[in-house]
């Protein structure tokens, strides 16, 4: 079958451009097979990374038809969809959120730098193995399997919306690794690791867009790892503790639950004052609300009254049950 491959070519500082290659290939061929064929038969200057060809090393991560994937894992027939405007065309580009070195090759150093920020190794104290073996139960080890499957390909990092808008965000790969260490019974720095991610560059910077779970080729489900990490952080702040005494991200979450529990949905008048202004304790936060409030007043969109939801009682019971089960 004839397939058109549209490949982004770039040699910085020059701008990127699309170049088309027509290839006679089979539906069962991998994208990496096709890239090899293009390089060997049509254009030897085409640059891309590869190594194991067996979804182990993660070297060949790139964007295929707009999403990050491993070229050695994706097959031509999977990428050709009849409902597309061009059903015989496959578009290939470099990973996102990383500087392009040439064509499909990106500079992975920012990726590694962000990973190092979570100190991704079992703590020194945990590595002091006594004379006998450092034992883990099967259940303890099984809990680490998903995160341990990460091959550090960068697919989740590439398609992370939070990283795109917030360069300080550590990235889903790093948070998945951080959670793996938090859950590891051999590590002795659980509290320190949880505290380190309790900020907007850590777990609270995640927008929960699900992209990382969608593109992960190994089933690590980084968003699930981030969620578990959040639960560990929230467990450090009991519900009895006043929201005024916690960080803004924690206050945001706790205030949201409290307002929904009391009225069935969020009372927007109180939300900003309680979260951003911390009930007036944060003057800068209070002042930051003024421009938005004035614009809302000017457009007649400021809610002067709040009407509780007709399902408030049901919502309250659901929240109470979740709290009783320890699932909040």
């Amino acid at each position: 079958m004839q397939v058109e491959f549209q490949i982004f070519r770039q040699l910085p500082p020059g701008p990127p451009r699309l170049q088309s290659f027509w290839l006679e290939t089979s539906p069962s061929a991998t994208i990496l097979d096709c890239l090899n064929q293009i390089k060997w038969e049509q254009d030897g200057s085409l640059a891309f990374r590869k190594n194991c060809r067996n979804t182990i090393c993660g070297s060949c991560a790139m964007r295929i038809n707009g999403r990050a994937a491993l070229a050695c894992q994706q097959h031509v027939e999977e990428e050709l969809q009849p409902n597309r405007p061009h059903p015989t065309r496959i578009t290939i580009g470099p990973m996102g959120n990383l500087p392009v070195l040439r064509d499909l090759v990106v500079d992975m150093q920012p990726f590694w730098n962000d990973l190092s920020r979570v100190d991704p190794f079992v703590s020194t104290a945990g590595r002091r193995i006594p004379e006998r073996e450092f034992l883990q139960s099967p259940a303890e080890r099984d809990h680490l399997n998903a995160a341990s499957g990460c091959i550090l390909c960068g697919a989740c990092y590439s398609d992370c919306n939070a990283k795109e808008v917030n360069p300080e965000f550590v990235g889903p790969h790093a948070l998945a690794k951080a959670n793996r260490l938090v859950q590891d019974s051999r590590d002795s720095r659980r509290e320190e690791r949880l505290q380190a991610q309790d900020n907007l560059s850590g777990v609270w910077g995640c927008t929960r867009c699900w992209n990382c779970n969608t593109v992960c080729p190994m089933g690590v489900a980084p968003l699930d790892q981030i969620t578990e990490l959040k639960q560990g952080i929230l467990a450090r702040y009991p519900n009895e503790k006043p929201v005024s005494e916690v960080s803004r991200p924690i206050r945001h979450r706790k205030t949201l639950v409290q307002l929904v529990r009391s009225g069935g949905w969020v009372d927007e008048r109180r939300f900003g004052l309680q979260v951003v202004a911390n009930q007036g304790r944060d003057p800068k936060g209070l002042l930051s609300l003024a421009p938005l409030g004035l614009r809302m007043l000017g457009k007649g969109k400021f809610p002067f009254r709040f009407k509780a939801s007709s399902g408030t009682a049901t919502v309250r019971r659901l929240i109470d049950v979740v709290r009783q089960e320890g699932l909040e």
Side-chain angles (χ1 to χ4, degrees):
M1 60 185 302
Q2 278 275 330
V3 178
E4 179 188 7
F5 287 85
Q6 276 199 342
I7 302 177
F8 278 89
R9 308 293 304 273
Q10 186 176 6
L11 182 59
R17 59 185 175 86
L18 273 173
Q19 183 175 358
S20 291
F21 297 92
W22 286 91
L23 198 65
E24 185 69 35
T25 187
S26 67
S28 61
T30 67
I31 301 301
L32 182 57
D33 290 334
C34 297
L35 288 174
N36 281 331
Q37 191 174 346
I38 291 171
K39 185 174 180 68
W40 296 336
E41 299 177 2
Q42 298 189 37
D43 189 341
S45 69
L46 178 63
F48 56 92
R49 286 194 177 108
K50 61 176 182 177
N51 193 6
C52 73
R53 300 183 297 174
N54 199 32
T55 67
I56 295 175
C57 71
S59 298
C60 62
M62 56 189 69
R63 273 184 169 162
I64 304 171
N65 282 337
R67 76 189 189 288
L70 298 181
C72 68
Q73 188 179 47
Q74 300 304 117
H75 294 82
V76 169
E77 59 186 348
E78 297 169 335
E79 298 300 332
L80 297 179
Q81 300 178 11
N83 60 344
R84 289 181 180 274
H86 302 281
T88 60
R89 176 187 297 170
I90 297 175
T91 303
I92 303 176
M95 287 199 294
N97 293 325
L98 291 163
V100 176
L101 296 177
R102 179 167 182 165
D103 297 341
L104 307 178
V105 178
V106 295
D107 182 1
M108 295 290 290
Q109 194 58 53
F111 174 87
W112 300 120
N113 291 345
D114 282 336
L115 180 63
S116 68
R117 290 165 61 189
V118 303
D119 193 12
F121 307 101
V122 175
S123 66
T124 302
R127 291 200 298 269
R128 294 196 183 112
I129 309 298
E131 292 181 3
R132 60 184 179 81
E133 185 179 3
F134 201 124
L135 298 178
Q136 280 186 309
S137 69
E140 288 173 332
R141 185 62 187 85
D142 287 346
H143 194 64
L144 308 179
N145 285 343
S148 298
C150 177
I151 58 175
L152 299 174
C153 64
C156 63
Y157 193 90
S158 163
D159 286 20
C160 177
N161 289 325
K163 187 64 183 179
E164 184 175 353
V165 299
N166 177 15
E168 293 302 313
F169 181 55
V170 73
H173 70 307
L175 291 175
K177 179 66 76 173
N179 186 58
R180 185 237 180 273
L181 292 167
V182 164
Q183 304 303 328
D184 196 324
S185 61
R186 300 167 298 174
D187 192 85
S188 59
R189 295 172 54 198
R190 174 184 170 84
E191 287 302 311
E192 180 183 340
R193 294 187 189 279
L194 289 173
Q195 184 177 358
Q197 302 311 321
D198 184 7
N199 49 63
L200 291 177
S201 63
V203 295
W204 306 116
C206 172
T207 61
R208 295 172 291 178
C209 67
W210 203 263
N211 278 354
C212 55
N213 276 17
T214 301
V215 302
C216 177
M218 306 306 294
V220 173
L223 181 57
D224 294 5
Q225 305 293 328
I226 295 171
T227 300
E228 189 170 35
L229 200 54
K230 285 181 178 179
Q231 295 303 322
I233 292 171
L234 288 168
R236 302 169 70 237
Y237 300 93
N239 289 321
E240 296 76 17
K241 188 170 185 177
V243 294
S244 60
E245 298 179 11
V246 299
S247 64
R248 183 184 289 187
I250 299 292
R251 192 161 63 245
H252 182 285
R253 197 263 186 192
K254 287 185 172 290
T255 300
L256 181 69
V257 174
Q258 288 177 2
L259 291 178
V260 171
R261 186 183 182 281
S262 64
W265 48 43
V266 177
D267 183 347
E268 295 175 346
R269 303 169 308 161
R270 297 170 58 190
F271 189 73
L273 290 174
Q274 291 184 11
V275 175
V276 181
N278 196 13
Q279 294 285 32
R281 295 179 179 86
D282 184 349
K284 289 184 178 180
L286 183 60
L287 288 173
S288 72
L289 292 173
L292 175 61
L294 291 173
R295 288 198 301 271
M296 292 176 68
L297 282 171
K299 294 182 179 294
K301 293 185 177 181
F302 188 87
F304 289 98
R305 292 185 298 173
F306 176 78
K307 183 179 181 181
S309 165
S310 58
T312 298
T314 302
V315 172
R316 185 176 295 125
R317 285 196 299 271
L318 286 171
I319 293 176
D320 290 343
V321 168
V322 169
R323 284 177 170 173
Q324 290 170 8
E325 296 294 328
L327 300 175
E328 185 184 3

